[in-house]
Amino acid sequence: MGTLVNYMTEKGVAVLTLSDPPVNAYTHEMLKELDACILEARFDNDVHVIVITGHGDKFFCAGANINMLREADSTFKYYFCLHANETISRLEQTPKLCIAALNGHTVGGGLEIALACDLRIARAGDFQLGLPEVALGVLPGTGGTQRLARMVGKARAIEMMVEGTKMNTNRAAELGLVNKVWATDSNEEFLRKVIDYARAFCPPAGAAKAVGAIKRSVQSGLETSLEQGLALERELQAELFASNDAKEGLNAYAEKRKPQFRGR
């Protein structure tokens, strides 16, 4: 689609690759392309899962481009952060499973993008994850303070951000920041493995509509009271019960056969 975010689809999976070597740092231009790609995947009925990864085998994304931030005026920086927040929230609110394939260093705004995905899978290696913005005299301003605290708790999140801690993938997995760490011989093999994993959530084997509803129920519901969250859950469940996939799933169970889902 664009030059800074590569967009491709493969059998139900849209793969968005942040592509600005050497560190895939993002600019307003990259975020505009990312935004467009998220919308493209959202409107494509044949896309059921979104995978985000970085170009090359060293960096997923090193966050915002520092030179751009040095040169921009305060008004631009404010709107840059606002747009970044809106783009990342769009990813989080899309009722399709979003997987971050962390192929290299994932720091600053790079980790903030990953935190807005539903699952994070890291390639085993000598990679660092963290929110070190404090060393620049600023805070993690693209959702980092909010999403990290929701994921690991207040005390640990504050500690990580004020210390500017960087950690390896195994430590990130221990803290629950990363869901899986996969050892592969190459980045190509890693991405192939993530796409194959993502395809398990796509029709005919995967109930993509239910997967999307589970994601939405958690992402939106946890930001409300328990009672409101339960109300959202009931509404989503009612939609699912009315779907072809639920009829197929229940019939297949009764007939002791594998369901053939259609995502409808």
Side-chain angles (χ1 to χ4, degrees):
M1 184 180 281
T3 53
L4 298 169
V5 181
N6 188 346
Y7 184 94
M8 62 160 266
T9 59
E10 184 189 312
K11 295 176 180 158
V13 180
V15 182
L16 283 55
T17 307
L18 308 177
S19 185
D20 192 4
V23 300
N24 303 326
Y26 62 68
T27 53
H28 186 46
E29 284 66 36
M30 181 190 273
L31 284 173
K32 282 193 285 189
E33 287 188 23
L34 179 61
D35 213 0
C37 290
I38 293 165
L39 287 172
E40 180 80 15
R42 189 184 267 193
F43 277 93
D44 188 340
N45 288 333
D46 294 326
V47 167
H48 301 283
V49 183
I50 298 169
V51 171
I52 297 191
T53 193
H55 173 81
D57 58 7
K58 296 275 193 300
F59 281 86
F60 170 76
C61 173
N65 182 301
I66 305 292
N67 285 333
M68 175 207 68
L69 292 178
R70 279 181 61 211
E71 290 161 15
D73 64 33
S74 57
T75 305
F76 178 87
K77 284 194 276 247
Y78 178 83
Y79 286 121
F80 169 76
C81 286
L82 176 60
H83 178 250
N85 266 310
E86 289 167 340
T87 300
I88 292 171
S89 291
R90 208 191 290 289
L91 186 67
E92 192 173 53
Q93 293 301 319
T94 296
K96 301 183 182 194
L97 191 69
C98 297
I99 302 172
L102 308 180
N103 57 301
H105 297 297
T106 305
V107 291
L111 182 55
E112 290 177 298
I113 291 173
L115 288 174
C117 293
D118 306 305
L119 300 174
R120 282 154 295 285
I121 302 174
R123 186 179 167 211
D126 193 19
F127 304 133
Q128 300 285 299
L129 295 90
L131 296 173
E133 283 90 339
V134 71
L136 304 174
V138 295
L139 56 68
T142 317
T145 62
Q146 301 306 301
R147 291 191 179 92
L148 185 66
R150 280 161 170 73
M151 201 167 286
V152 303
K154 276 198 295 193
R156 182 159 269 154
I158 291 171
E159 177 189 37
M160 280 174 60
M161 289 182 281
V162 298
E163 291 181 357
T165 313
K166 289 184 191 164
M167 64 188 76
N168 62 26
T169 50
N170 290 334
R171 178 63 179 147
E174 282 169 20
L175 289 176
L177 276 182
V178 165
N179 296 83
K180 303 171 191 295
V181 179
W182 287 344
T184 56
D185 291 335
S186 67
N187 194 47
E188 290 74 24
E189 185 192 337
F190 171 67
L191 187 56
R192 166 54 37 216
K193 207 172 165 184
V194 175
I195 294 171
D196 289 344
Y197 174 74
R199 283 184 56 202
F201 300 104
C202 299
K209 196 173 172 69
V211 168
I214 290 168
K215 173 239 175 92
R216 215 185 126 224
S217 194
V218 174
Q219 293 286 22
S220 299
L222 280 190
E223 297 306 312
T224 66
S225 68
L226 176 61
E227 199 152 328
Q228 287 172 307
L230 290 171
L232 172 63
E233 184 185 84
R234 282 193 300 275
E235 293 304 315
L236 291 168
Q237 183 71 307
E239 275 181 38
L240 290 173
F241 274 139
S243 72
N244 290 318
D245 277 3
K247 291 185 184 71
E248 167 63 10
L250 293 166
N251 288 337
Y253 182 83
E255 294 160 17
K256 296 184 170 56
R257 60 175 174 80
K258 273 193 173 169
Q260 296 292 302
F261 295 115
R262 291 190 303 161
R264 298 283 183 272

